[in-house]
């Protein structure tokens, strides 16, 4: 089986929601799921990220978005542009190696996982990149060369705020691993 390669798809660092939105447009991923990660607090720790200062350091993201892809034969993989693991990593391995045990974290910073069909994510997400603007109109991170998903609206908080219930279903780490082990 030929696995997807990072370099074959559009990518811009710090714009995970758009990177995954673009993946959802690809025919081979339209029947996949999108996983939006966040916590009840302002951030959550995640390991194995390219943005880390050292290979073993955690990155504190306010949210992160990846694709949960079911390959031929039913194997499930995570596609994460920002991981130091392979771009296409078996899903259980990805979660076991990328997250700190919830019992070691303050509950406010334990990651939660919003899981939804890729088609729902692609149809529902609006982002005009306002969350990446500074107060003086500059950029927190260089924007992608492609146009924004929306030119005047953003509902990104409905995806990244785990108190919002409009899109997908929200799972704890334990619930997500159980779901993956059953698949």
């Amino acid at each position: 089986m030929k696995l997807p390669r990072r370099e074959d798809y559009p990518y811009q660092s710090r714009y995970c929601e758009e990177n995954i939105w673009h993946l959802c447009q690809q025919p081979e991923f339209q029947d996949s799921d999108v996983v939006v990660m966040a916590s009840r607090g302002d951030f959550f720790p995640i390991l194995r990220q390219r943005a880390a200062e050292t290979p073993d350091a955690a990155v504190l993201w306010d949210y992160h978005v990846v694709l949960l892809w079911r390959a031929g034969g039913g194997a499930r993989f995570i596609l994460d542009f920002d991981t130091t693991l392979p771009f296409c990593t078996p899903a259980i391995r990805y979660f076991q190696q990328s997250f700190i045990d919830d019992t070691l974290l303050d509950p406010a910073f334990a990651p939660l996982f919003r899981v939804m069909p890729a088609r729902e994510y692609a149809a529902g997400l609006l982002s005009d990149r306002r969350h990446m603007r500074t107060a003086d109109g500059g950029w927190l991170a260089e924007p992608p060369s492609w146009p924004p998903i929306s030119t005047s609206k953003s509902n990104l908080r409905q995806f990244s705020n785990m108190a919002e219930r409009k899109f997908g279903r929200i799972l704890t780490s334990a619930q997500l691993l159980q779901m993956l082990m059953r698949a």
Side-chain angles (χ1 to χ4, degrees), residues 38-45 60 100-112 173:
S39 71
R40 289 185 179 94
D42 293 333
F43 59 83
F44 69 98
L60 302 177
I100 298 168
D101 185 328
D102 286 356
T103 62
L104 301 174
L105 299 171
D106 180 309
F109 304 112
L112 295 171
S173 296

Side-chain angles (χ1 to χ4, degrees), residues 21-152:
W21 185 87
H22 281 281
L23 274 185
C24 292
Q25 311 306 312
Q26 303 297 318
E28 65 268 32
F29 301 128
Q30 288 181 352
D31 293 325
S32 300
D33 289 318
V34 170
V35 181
V36 179
M37 308 167 205
S39 71
R40 289 185 179 94
D42 293 333
F43 59 83
F44 69 98
I46 183 170
L47 303 168
R48 311 278 188 253
Q49 293 288 290
R50 295 162 78 183
E53 291 184 20
T54 64
D56 295 330
V59 170
L60 302 177
W61 288 133
D62 50 349
Y63 67 92
H64 191 50
V65 185
V66 298
L67 189 81
L68 177 58
W69 174 57
R70 185 182 301 272
R76 298 188 82 165
F77 294 86
I78 292 294
L79 278 64
D80 181 355
F81 285 95
D82 299 300
T83 186
T84 58
L85 295 169
F87 170 65
C88 185
T89 298
I92 292 173
R93 177 177 167 220
Y94 175 89
F95 285 104
Q96 288 173 334
Q97 293 188 12
S98 298
F99 293 94
I100 298 168
D101 185 328
D102 286 356
T103 62
L104 301 174
L105 299 171
D106 180 309
F109 304 112
L112 295 171
F113 305 89
R114 183 183 305 274
V115 180
M116 73 197 81
R119 291 175 194 267
E120 179 183 352
Y121 180 79
L125 180 67
L126 298 172
S127 176
D128 59 8
R129 301 182 183 151
R130 69 180 67 176
H131 65 291
M132 296 302 286
R133 290 283 193 180
T134 62
D136 65 1
W139 293 101
L140 295 171
E142 186 68 28
S145 59
W146 59 77
I149 297 167
S150 172
T151 57
S152 62

